[in-house]
Amino acid sequence: MHELSIAQSVVDIVLQHVSADEAHRVKAVFLKVGDLAGVVPDSLEFGFTAITAGTALENAKLRIERIPFTIRCLRCGATSTQEIGISICAQCGSLETTTIGGTELHITEIEVNDPEETS
Amino acid sequence: MSVITIERKVLEKNDEVARQNRTAFAQRNIFTINLVSSPGAGKTSLVEKTLETLKGRVNIAVVEGDVQTDLDAQRVAKYSVPVVQIVTNGACHLEAKLVQDALVNLNLTNINLLIIENVGNLVCPANYDLGEHAKVVVASTTEGDDKPLKYPAMFRNASALIINKTDLLPYLPCSIDALKLNALSINPSLEIFETSCTTGKGIEPWCRWLEKRSVKETGAR
């Protein structure tokens, strides 16, 4: 359960990008989380809600996009979405593959309400 | 409504401190490994066997990570090597900053190899770079041969796999071939060692790998 410390990192980064005045108007924080990032989205959302309760970010919700584990074969060039973590080309069976998706743990956008809007 | 577009890694702060650690290790010519496994796979026993075997060959220091107690550091201290215990007080993994702070209390003079024994956990430590040169995952035969498939992130990020407790194989349904195949399907470049910390079998090849890697990474000796 390291999602709490990851949630704290999300809070830290968001607060670097919004002013103190904007913080309470943050509506949503968009994240990309790879299937192989070792992060449980439900736990991350739970942790985020827990640590932002009673703070300027208490209205903010996490919007998590899952990124499937995807590899590209260096032999035949095929791209395949494999069972999580398996690095064998689904097309030709080669072990010479490179991961092109599924390890992300990124914040991509922060959505902020205008002052007159309510969340 | 406005949208602020950013593209930042959530764990960038940890990654930054890990970079600082890596630089500090490089400046001191220290090869560093991050030893990970589930609880009870035999990490501390492996550290003890490694200290015993490499005595007089490589100067080693150890960072021990545990949720509670300094029992592991006490075990390691018997080998008269510099050791420091990190107690995470509940946290399930080590972070780069914890290691950075611990290094202040470690005498690294003439040290060539630093072993960081992480908290026993096959999930969370996979996310946190500590600044090590290599992650080494220990899987014991008592855990079964399907662990790599269940915890792919950890096996994917590792450079080496140690299959420990091989002396128990006659009593277990664990297939060492299946374990290797599962591990290699996640990470084809894994170096694999088979060890028994009880009999000492397989410890020497592992120690030779450590010696070789430390020369390669640090250019020392």
Side-chain angles (χ1 to χ4, degrees):
Chain A
M1 176 63 188
H2 58 310
E3 280 78 2
L4 202 57
S5 79
I6 289 174
Q8 186 59 54
S9 301
V10 171
V11 168
D12 293 344
I13 290 173
V14 170
L15 291 179
Q16 287 168 20
H17 285 270
V18 297
S19 64
D21 165 58
E22 286 173 317
H24 73 280
R25 286 187 276 116
V26 172
K27 187 183 170 198
V29 180
F30 290 80
L31 287 108
K32 283 187 178 171
V33 177
D35 279 345
L36 200 65
V39 173
V40 182
D42 284 352
S43 301
L44 183 54
E45 283 173 25
F46 176 82
F48 185 79
T49 306
I51 59 171
T52 53
T55 74
L57 287 176
E58 68 181 345
N59 299 319
K61 295 267 181 286
L62 289 189
R63 296 279 180 257
I64 298 175
E65 179 192 354
R66 297 308 304 258
I67 309 294
F69 178 69
T70 311
I71 56 172
R72 187 171 57 231
C73 182
L74 301 176
R75 279 268 179 82
C76 75
T79 296
S80 47
T81 301
Q82 274 277 24
E83 196 181 325
I84 295 173
I86 301 288
S87 300
I88 302 169
C89 175
Q91 197 72 33
C92 74
S94 169
L95 288 171
E96 289 171 50
T97 59
T98 181
T99 306
I100 55 173
T103 60
E104 300 81 355
L105 183 52
H106 292 170
I107 299 183
T108 54
E109 283 180 357
I110 303 168
E111 205 175 276
V112 185
N113 278 330
D114 293 333
E116 66 277 11
E117 281 182 288
T118 53
S119 59
Chain B
M1 189 169 58
S2 59
V3 171
I4 304 168
T5 302
I6 57 176
E7 186 71 48
R8 289 178 63 176
K9 288 175 77 176
V10 174
L11 292 177
E12 61 181 15
K13 209 162 115 191
N14 182 75
D15 292 347
E16 172 54 32
V17 181
R19 266 194 296 278
Q20 293 167 11
N21 288 349
R22 196 167 282 120
T23 304
F25 298 142
Q27 282 167 351
R28 290 171 167 273
N29 279 333
I30 298 173
F31 175 61
T32 302
I33 63 164
N34 177 4
L35 200 56
V36 293
S37 79
S38 59
K43 289 187 299 304
T44 312
S45 298
L46 184 77
V47 170
E48 289 178 306
K49 279 285 165 196
T50 303
L51 292 172
E52 206 177 291
T53 308
L54 287 177
K55 192 179 163 80
R57 288 160 64 181
V58 179
N59 296 325
I60 306 176
V62 180
V63 174
E64 283 290 341
D66 274 299
V67 170
Q68 209 53 263
T69 81
D70 65 350
L71 292 171
D72 283 358
Q74 289 178 35
R75 279 171 66 179
V76 168
K78 288 181 182 150
Y79 294 83
S80 306
V81 296
V83 57
V84 63
Q85 177 80 48
I86 299 173
V87 176
T88 65
N89 283 315
C92 49
H93 60 275
L94 293 181
E95 297 186 9
K97 183 75 171 71
L98 288 172
V99 172
Q100 189 174 54
D101 292 346
L103 291 177
V104 175
N105 298 314
L106 204 57
N107 181 5
L108 293 175
T109 313
N110 296 326
I111 293 299
N112 314 113
L113 170 64
L114 177 68
I115 301 176
I116 303 171
E117 182 183 335
N118 216 313
V119 177
N121 180 340
L122 277 177
V123 184
C124 314
N127 284 77
Y128 294 86
D129 184 5
L130 304 180
E132 73 272 6
H133 295 98
K135 255 193 195 73
V136 176
V137 58
V138 183
S140 60
T141 56
T142 50
E143 295 165 61
D145 45 39
D146 54 4
K147 278 288 172 295
L149 302 179
K150 291 180 173 176
Y151 300 94
M154 190 62 94
F155 286 82
R156 192 191 127 81
N157 294 339
S159 305
L161 161 66
I162 293 177
I163 302 174
N164 194 29
K165 306 189 188 180
T166 52
D167 53 304
L168 297 178
L169 276 169
Y171 315 104
L172 301 168
C174 174
S175 156
I176 215 154
D177 288 342
L179 178 51
K180 283 182 185 175
L181 198 66
N182 288 338
L184 290 172
S185 68
I186 301 291
N187 181 352
S189 61
L190 268 180
E191 292 266 359
I192 302 181
F193 301 94
E194 299 172 27
T195 61
S196 162
C197 292
T198 305
T199 67
K201 197 178 167 197
I203 297 292
E204 180 57 32
W206 150 246
C207 285
R208 274 204 299 273
W209 181 81
L210 277 179
E211 269 184 312
K212 208 173 95 188
R213 281 299 299 266
S214 68
V215 172
K216 188 177 153 200
E217 296 285 352
T218 64
R221 292 176 304 284

